[in-house]
Amino acid sequence: MEQEHHHHHHNHGNAEKNISIAFYLNAFFVLVEIVGGLLTNSIAILTDALHDFGDCLSLATAWALQKKSTKGRDSNYSYGYKRFSLLGSVFLSGVLTISSIFVLVAAVRRVLYPEEVSAQGMLWMAIIGIIINGSAAFSVKKGSSLNERAVYLHIMEDVLGWVGVLVVSVVMMFTDLPILDPILSIAISLWVLSNVYKNLKSVFKILLQAIPYDVPIDELTSKITDISGVESIHDLHIWSLDGESHVMTLHVVTDVADHFSIKNNILDIVSQYHIVHVTIEFEPIDSICTTDCDCL
């Protein structure tokens, strides 16, 4: 006998809206950078415009996948499309890794062969860059999905980059140290790469169906076995769909005829752990479990 339970409590519409705001701000800033780069004759700013154009393509992809992830289940995906947001996170992380490596190569070359830059032009572009990219970062900062976290990292790379440009441009207005620019660029790229690693680690744990980090398995097991009428539980499996919504299946051994009350007690407990889909199989005490896996 199987009992199933479904409920939804996360607002994926907010994630979609947040990413769309970030996309529009980024697209606008690409135009600003092209104009600013031409006016200041700065190849660095024009290069960043190209980098931001790549960001726009990435954000558009992330936005589309986030929108797809809000679809409910159908005949193709019985759990719905939540995991599509993870594809956005993987894609963005890949783009970030590649772009960071290109930046590192260019920065090392610039350390070896420093070039003169327009400090005053850099200063004004940095102020505009911090305002626009900062607004985009703020729009996705409070998001809880891994896709939003990847987008946030993407934009914070630009925010930190422009903060660096601001500091370097001020220093260079008083001292001739063009080498500061590439050194700062290297530091930011390494920070971005370390965060990409952490984000991808979280994504792959979900794809490999690890027990979600926010579900204390021993505590959950103890609470369920403490329910009146529950003799024991086994064949317990918990995994996450997208890092926010989790799924659980388990076998409950009981000699109580009223399975409904036990089921409701279990659902009350698991609802505290972002578990949105539960499948419960009840077994009498003297039955033999047919599963042949080593499970919890």
Side-chain angles (χ1 to χ4, degrees):
M1 176 183 174
E2 289 195 0
Q3 306 281 350
E4 293 195 2
H5 168 65
H6 310 269
H7 66 83
H8 301 277
H9 63 279
H10 289 285
N11 193 340
H12 287 267
N14 277 347
E16 188 187 327
K17 181 186 172 187
N18 294 340
I19 293 171
S20 70
I21 292 169
F23 168 76
Y24 286 123
L25 286 169
N26 211 272
F28 170 70
F29 190 56
V30 168
L31 298 175
V32 173
E33 280 185 303
I34 291 169
V35 173
L38 291 171
L39 289 175
T40 59
N41 198 30
S42 168
I43 190 71
I45 291 172
L46 286 171
T47 303
D48 199 67
L50 182 65
H51 167 73
D52 279 352
F53 179 68
D55 284 359
C56 281
L57 295 178
S58 301
L59 286 168
T61 305
W63 182 9
L65 288 169
Q66 187 68 43
K67 188 172 185 178
K68 185 88 170 174
S69 75
T70 60
K71 281 183 68 177
R73 68 184 192 174
D74 57 21
S75 58
N76 292 318
Y77 296 93
S78 63
Y79 281 115
Y81 288 73
K82 284 187 170 66
R83 283 202 170 176
F84 275 71
S85 69
L86 296 182
L87 292 179
S89 183
V90 171
F91 179 78
L92 276 173
S93 296
V95 171
L96 269 174
T97 301
I98 293 166
S99 63
S100 295
I101 290 169
F102 274 112
V103 168
L104 280 171
V105 171
V108 170
R109 193 177 294 135
R110 189 65 73 87
V111 167
L112 297 173
Y113 307 103
E115 294 179 19
E116 289 300 320
V117 288
S118 169
Q120 196 165 1
M122 282 171 65
L123 177 68
W124 285 110
M125 280 303 299
I127 292 168
I128 297 168
I130 289 167
I131 292 169
I132 294 176
N133 283 287
S135 301
F138 185 76
S139 72
V140 289
K141 185 176 188 294
K142 292 181 180 177
S144 55
S145 74
L146 287 169
N147 199 8
E148 284 174 286
R149 259 186 268 172
V151 170
Y152 175 65
L153 277 178
H154 218 73
I155 299 166
M156 277 308 294
E157 176 194 24
D158 292 328
V159 173
L160 286 172
W162 286 113
V163 169
V165 169
L166 180 70
V167 172
V168 166
S169 63
V170 170
V171 172
M172 282 168 47
M173 287 171 95
F174 300 99
T175 57
D176 186 26
L177 285 172
I179 200 171
L180 289 176
D181 183 35
I183 288 172
L184 191 69
S185 180
I186 290 168
I188 292 165
S189 295
L190 292 175
W191 175 84
V192 169
L193 285 172
S194 70
N195 279 283
V196 164
Y197 168 75
K198 290 175 190 171
N199 199 58
L200 280 176
K201 187 178 176 183
S202 298
V203 169
F204 283 115
K205 279 191 79 171
I206 293 168
L207 294 177
L208 293 170
Q209 294 188 311
I211 292 172
Y213 73 92
D214 58 347
V215 178
I217 196 74
D218 292 336
E219 177 186 302
L220 179 60
T221 303
S222 176
K223 284 183 178 179
I224 295 173
T225 52
D226 283 345
I227 294 171
S228 177
V230 174
E231 186 70 25
S232 64
I233 64 170
H234 57 267
D235 203 11
L236 171 64
H237 299 279
I238 303 175
W239 67 97
S240 186
L241 292 174
D242 60 355
E244 296 180 271
S245 303
H246 312 323
V247 179
M248 182 176 93
T249 65
L250 78 159
H251 290 197
V252 176
V253 178
T254 179
D255 58 359
V256 175
D258 182 13
H259 292 167
F260 188 74
S261 63
I262 292 176
K263 174 196 159 191
N264 279 340
N265 284 329
I266 291 173
L267 296 182
D268 284 342
I269 290 167
V270 302
S271 64
Q272 305 163 27
Y273 301 98
H274 298 164
I275 297 170
V276 299
H277 180 109
V278 182
T279 302
I280 306 168
E281 185 172 324
F282 291 96
E283 297 175 2
I285 290 176
D286 56 353
S287 69
I288 298 170
C289 182
T290 55
T291 57
D292 55 2
C293 64
D294 291 326
C295 7
L296 293 166

